[in-house]
Amino acid sequence: MSEQPAPAPVSVLAPATSPLPPGVAAVLKRDSSGLVAAVVQQFDTNEVLMLGWMDDEALHRTMTSGRVTFYSRSRQEYWRKGDTSGHVQWVKSVAVDCDGDALLVRVDQVGAACHTGTRTCFDGRALEVQAGPAL
């Protein structure tokens, strides 16, 4: 599923009815739609699996259910990874970055993470770059 690029974070305040603990809700910098980018990583290999979007409710569900829930920008609804495909993401940990504008969700991925059926959303999609020297 192809999604539009996300607008830059604008530090939208937590909704008055945020289900998140106040300390968590206060540090998040949401975009103009109230969303935060969530990078999903395999917990034991550090493999980057995918990127999804979460609002306060999706993050709350992820933090309290043991399964990853995203908010679909294109469908404007919540979706829990694996409900239709069986490719479940079991939550191991969630961290917020230093700026509060991104999340790192470490998971145990069952099956493919990408909707195309590949292990990650980045398989076979490398761009040619001029690499810098190893230090």
Side-chain angles (χ1 to χ4, degrees), residues 67-135:
R67 298 261 312 270
V68 180
T69 298
F70 297 102
Y71 185 79
S72 171
R73 296 178 301 163
S74 59
R75 295 187 314 262
Q76 298 201 345
E77 65 184 19
Y78 296 102
W79 60 282
R80 192 167 69 165
K81 187 69 172 170
D83 279 354
T84 57
S85 66
H87 299 164
V88 176
Q89 292 176 339
W90 296 106
V91 177
K92 295 297 184 180
S93 66
V94 179
V96 63
D97 79 338
C98 59
D99 296 321
D101 61 1
L103 300 165
L104 178 62
V105 183
R106 294 177 50 88
V107 303
D108 191 7
Q109 175 71 49
V110 175
C114 187
H115 72 281
T116 65
T118 58
R119 171 71 181 163
T120 86
C121 291
F122 302 98
D123 281 348
R125 295 170 181 90
L127 304 176
E128 269 191 51
V129 299
Q130 178 62 49
L135 301 177

Side-chain angles (χ1 to χ4, degrees), residues 4-63:
Q4 307 96 24
V10 292
S11 194
V12 172
L13 296 176
T17 58
S18 175
L20 294 172
V24 174
V27 299
L28 293 179
K29 291 182 185 166
R30 301 155 188 83
D31 68 15
S32 59
S33 298
L35 303 174
V36 175
V39 176
V40 181
Q41 181 181 48
Q42 176 65 31
F43 83 101
D44 54 354
T45 65
N46 295 328
E47 179 180 32
V48 176
L49 301 172
M50 62 176 288
L51 174 93
W53 297 93
M54 294 184 181
D55 65 1
D56 286 28
E57 179 61 30
L59 178 55
H60 171 73
R61 292 180 189 187
T62 297
M63 292 171 62

